[in-house]
């Protein structure tokens, strides 16, 4: 009521102020989980070399200076993957892609993360969108277990009898196994090892 058109009980409480800061335009470097690409895609066999790439965007109102991005196996501050990757100056709306190679090890679940400008070298509009992560799986290697040994004819056998020995092998790991040999031996000395003359 700046013109005092309303008669009030009090006229000295009709004004309030608040202070705001107006800052210069700033960049805003952003990386999202959907910007992280792994090749080949998860799940991986243990020991696979994986290319991890991330697209970084400047969604702010000013160009950004040069900085770096780091990749991590786990939520930071976890061990880094490879060396720091240079992120050059980005214009408004600009983007760039950085990548590292990661050996998928050990087997189990992993959280792969990327952090842009980890040292906060660039003053940004928003500092909370500089990290993104994806969950991936590393499969166990093949695990070959002989699960059954069968004889035809069924023992006991007469000395000198020819018999077929049939071995069933199961892969209890997560990854496929290639071709392999099965060695049968007559464990004459009982040490569970194929010694000379026992094949």
């Amino acid at each position: 009521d700046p013109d005092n058109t309303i008669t009030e009980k009090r006229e000295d409480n009709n004004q309030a102020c608040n202070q705001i800061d107006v800052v210069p335009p700033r960049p805003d470097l952003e990386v999202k989980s959907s910007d992280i690409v792994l090749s080949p895609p998860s799940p991986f066999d243990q020991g696979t070399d994986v290319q991890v790439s991330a697209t970084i965007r400047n969604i702010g109102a000013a160009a950004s200076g040069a900085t770096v991005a780091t990749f991590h196996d786990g939520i930071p501050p976890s061990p880094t993957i490879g060396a720091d990757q240079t992120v050059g100056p980005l214009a408004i709306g600009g983007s760039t892609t950085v990548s590292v190679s990661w050996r998928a090890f050990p087997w189990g679940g992993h959280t792969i993360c990327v952090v842009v400008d980890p040292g906060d070298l660039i003053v940004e509009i928003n500092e909370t969108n500089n990290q993104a992560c994806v969950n991936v799986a590393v499969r166990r290697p093949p695990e070959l277990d002989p699960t059954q040994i069968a004889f035809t004819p069924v023992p006991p056998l007469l000395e000198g009898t020819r018999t077929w020995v049939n071995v069933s092998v199961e892969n209890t790991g997560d990854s496929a196994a290639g071709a392999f040999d099965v060695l049968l031996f007559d464990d004459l000395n009982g040490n569970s090892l194929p010694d000379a003359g026992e094949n």
Side-chain angles (χ1 to χ4, degrees), residues 131-161:
Q131 176 177 309
C133 301
V134 292
N135 294 320
V136 299
V138 178
R139 294 184 286 226
R140 290 180 298 170
E143 182 63 39
L144 302 177
D145 294 325
T147 57
Q148 184 180 18
I149 302 175
F151 299 89
T152 305
V154 177
L157 304 173
L158 292 175
E159 185 176 351
T161 301

Side-chain angles (χ1 to χ4, degrees), residues 20 22 30 39 51 53 63 66 68 79 85 90-91 103 107 116 123 126 133 137 139 153 168 178-179 185:
I20 62 171
V22 179
E30 177 193 60
S39 179
Q51 190 76 13
S53 302
V68 298
Q85 300 300 303
L90 292 178
R103 179 153 291 172
W107 67 269
V116 59
V123 179
N126 182 3
C133 301
R139 294 184 286 226
S168 297
F185 62 97

Side-chain angles (χ1 to χ4, degrees), residues 19-183:
Q19 182 174 320
I20 62 171
D21 293 326
V22 179
V23 299
R26 293 177 178 171
D28 187 10
L29 298 177
E30 177 193 60
V31 62
K32 299 183 289 188
S33 296
S34 58
D35 294 324
I36 301 175
V37 177
L38 297 99
S39 179
S42 175
F44 316 107
D45 291 339
Q46 181 173 276
T48 300
D49 288 325
V50 180
Q51 190 76 13
V52 184
S53 302
T55 300
I56 297 163
R57 296 177 173 83
N58 178 7
I59 61 171
S64 67
T67 184
V68 298
T70 56
F71 291 81
H72 299 261
D73 185 358
I75 303 293
S78 56
T80 56
I81 302 170
D84 293 357
Q85 300 300 303
T86 301
V87 177
L90 292 178
I92 299 171
S95 66
T96 189
T97 300
V98 292
S99 63
V100 295
S101 179
W102 172 63
R103 179 153 291 172
F105 182 87
W107 67 269
H110 291 256
T111 301
I112 303 299
C113 299
V114 60
V115 181
V116 59
D117 193 35
D120 291 331
L121 302 177
I122 297 175
V123 179
E124 303 180 56
I125 296 172
N126 182 3
E127 298 285 356
T128 66
N129 59 355
N130 289 21
Q131 176 177 309
C133 301
V134 292
N135 294 320
V136 299
V138 178
R139 294 184 286 226
R140 290 180 298 170
E143 182 63 39
L144 302 177
D145 294 325
T147 57
Q148 184 180 18
I149 302 175
F151 299 89
T152 305
V154 177
L157 304 173
L158 292 175
E159 185 176 351
T161 301
R162 181 172 295 277
T163 182
W164 285 99
V165 183
N166 299 293
V167 181
S168 297
V169 180
E170 181 180 355
N171 179 4
T172 59
D174 295 326
S175 303
F180 57 91
D181 294 327
V182 175
L183 174 65

